[in-house]
Amino acid sequence: MIKPWDIYTWEFPGADAHPAVVLGTEARLAGKPKVNVLFCSSKRATREAEPLEIVLDEADGLDWKTLCKCDLVFAVPKEQLTRKRGVVTRERRRQIAERVIRGLGLAGL
């Protein structure tokens, strides 16, 4: 069963297979055919994260330091998510949530 903060592989449109961080509540993930995910690079990060990105790494289940973009959320059919890669650490969850809020312009509400 897919859970919040899991990292799976997804074939992003025009970008091939990349890590995808799952967002949402357990109830949402269990009851709907689509889930929200964030795009993460599949290449080793060679630069610092920009303000709306975060670096995930081996502690999260990835093979190396990986940039995750927090300003664009994709709706993905659950059955298209493959190969669970890991789970975002508790410390980075808050950082991702903060960047998603800023990246989607929700902070000004």
Side-chain angles (χ1 to χ4, degrees):
M1 183 163 119
I2 297 172
K3 295 184 180 181
W5 304 110
D6 283 349
I7 303 171
Y8 282 86
T9 298
W10 186 54
E11 295 273 340
F12 284 84
D16 298 322
H18 290 273
V21 174
V22 177
L23 301 177
T25 64
E26 287 188 20
R28 171 81 172 79
L29 299 176
K32 302 292 182 179
K34 290 187 176 183
V35 298
N36 293 309
V37 302
L38 298 175
F39 172 87
C40 301
S41 175
S42 59
K43 295 182 179 180
R44 188 180 309 267
T46 58
R47 63 173 173 80
E48 295 294 318
E50 294 179 2
L52 297 176
E53 297 175 331
I54 189 163
V55 175
L56 303 178
D57 62 20
E58 297 89 349
D60 305 290
L62 300 175
D63 295 329
W64 46 69
K65 290 184 178 181
T66 302
L67 291 170
C68 181
K69 299 182 181 298
C70 301
D71 60 344
L72 180 61
V73 178
F74 293 82
V76 177
K78 285 193 276 192
E79 68 272 4
Q80 291 182 9
L81 295 175
T82 60
R83 194 171 73 105
K84 183 176 177 183
R85 303 178 73 155
V87 180
V88 176
T89 62
R90 182 167 297 280
E91 147 189 343
R92 292 192 181 115
R93 293 175 189 186
R94 184 174 302 271
Q95 295 169 348
I96 289 172
E98 186 271 332
R99 284 165 176 80
V100 168
I101 288 168
R102 279 194 294 138
L104 298 180
L106 302 174
L109 297 178

